[in-house]
Amino acid sequence: DQLYFAILMDRKYNGPVILASKKGGMDIEEVSETDPEAILVHPIDIKEGPQDADLDKLALDLGFEDDSLRSAAVDQIKKLYGMFINLDATQVEVNPWALNPEGKVWCIDAKINIDDNALFRHQRILDMRANSQTSEDVDPNEEKAAKAGLNYIKLDGDWGCIVNGAGLAMATMDLLKLKGKEPANFLDVGGGANEDQIKEAFEILMGNPNVKVIFINIFGGIMRCNIIAQGIVNACKSANLTLPLVVRFNGTNKDQGREILEEF
């Protein structure tokens, strides 16, 4: 028998939720569309943790009628939940969660997502990722950006983007595509970036041979445009920038920021 089991952070319930189904070994999104009643939903009080009676009922609903099997299933669920909490995970998904002919419960395949904001507590996990067989698929600049506190995703275009705020970053990429351009990346420096982070952002973009233009779009709020401007100047000096650079400032200290760039 192949089952589905997952623990997720769910905003609707303000905490972790267990999703489980007898229809494992297949795309759970498809199951949710075609047979939503086949998915069991069990919210968990994050302060109290999962209760034995609730887990026992869940295992019974999943078909673990034998007492010893149900006990083994409940024990695995507890361990999975412990891992979910200890790793600061946002998702632990087991698909399939299988019962073999010998009556043993196995986690056959799994996916774990860890909260990016908590990765500093899990260096061992970062090392495992860097040394795994899939490390070849990981853009080293994503690792570099994460260490610098930047949100970076490489794309296929040639316009490198540095923007503050995820919403503005998405809108900037949409505008580029509307004008027939293709963004080379998503790069959000956040609301409190400093000069060093701006310099790091430049180095990341310049390390991408596909980037032909760098476009900086900053709306100054908590982020002050003059700080960004000084970071741009320092980055250009240290990195020997040769690419065309387009900068848009609006908001806090935008005039001071423009003056710094004009003087440079």
Side-chain angles (χ1 to χ4, degrees), residues 8-257:
L8 312 171
M9 278 295 184
D10 193 313
R11 291 183 179 180
K12 179 180 178 181
Y13 296 99
N14 294 319
V17 173
I18 290 176
L19 299 182
S21 176
K22 290 183 177 181
K23 293 188 174 183
M26 61 182 73
D27 188 346
I28 197 63
E29 284 79 12
E30 182 178 337
V31 175
S32 68
E33 292 179 2
T34 59
D35 189 10
E37 294 183 357
I39 300 178
L40 306 175
V41 181
H42 286 257
I44 300 173
D45 185 331
I46 197 168
K47 295 181 180 179
E48 301 294 334
Q51 303 300 302
D52 288 347
D54 294 334
L55 297 185
D56 190 73
K57 182 180 184 305
L58 174 62
L60 190 61
D61 291 341
L62 289 172
F64 292 97
E65 297 181 358
D66 180 83
D67 289 346
S68 61
L69 281 179
R70 191 161 65 252
S71 176
V74 168
D75 183 61
Q76 281 200 17
I77 293 174
K78 288 181 178 179
K79 290 177 179 177
L80 288 168
Y81 182 78
M83 180 176 66
F84 177 85
I85 294 298
N86 292 332
L87 291 182
D88 296 297
T90 57
Q91 176 187 37
V92 171
E93 180 184 64
V94 180
N95 189 21
W97 191 35
L99 179 64
N100 71 4
E102 287 73 36
K104 292 186 177 181
V105 187
W106 295 89
C107 296
I108 304 300
D109 195 7
K111 178 169 65 176
I112 302 172
N113 289 334
I114 298 174
D115 186 346
D116 289 342
N117 295 315
L119 283 174
F120 71 94
R121 289 199 288 254
H122 304 288
Q123 186 59 47
R124 184 171 63 91
I125 301 297
L126 291 174
D127 293 341
M128 289 171 62
R129 180 188 181 192
N131 297 319
S132 72
Q133 292 181 353
T134 60
S135 61
E136 295 180 359
D137 300 324
V138 177
D139 183 350
N141 282 328
E142 291 187 15
E143 301 289 334
K144 189 176 181 181
K147 290 180 180 179
L150 305 171
N151 297 311
Y152 170 83
I153 300 173
K154 183 181 178 182
L155 302 174
D156 296 328
D158 56 5
W159 276 66
C161 302
I162 299 176
V163 188
N164 67 316
L168 184 58
M170 295 296 290
T172 300
M173 292 191 295
D174 287 343
L175 286 172
L176 286 174
K177 293 182 74 69
L178 186 65
K179 295 298 182 179
K181 311 300 181 182
E182 290 294 331
N185 62 276
F186 170 98
L187 200 162
D188 170 21
V189 298
N194 54 41
E195 292 183 21
D196 289 338
Q197 288 174 304
I198 299 302
K199 179 182 175 182
E200 193 73 37
F202 261 84
E203 292 179 354
I204 288 172
L205 296 193
M206 292 183 65
N208 180 354
N210 295 331
V211 172
K212 306 302 181 187
V213 181
I214 294 180
F215 179 35
I216 300 177
N217 189 7
I218 299 296
F219 180 80
I222 298 175
M223 171 79 72
R224 292 176 292 167
C225 294
N226 60 313
I227 297 296
I228 297 296
Q230 193 59 57
I232 292 172
V233 169
N234 293 341
C236 290
K237 289 179 178 178
S238 63
N240 192 25
L241 179 68
T242 57
L243 298 174
L245 176 64
V246 181
V247 181
R248 174 187 176 270
F249 282 153
N250 204 351
T252 306
N253 293 353
K254 64 179 182 180
D255 294 332
Q256 293 96 315

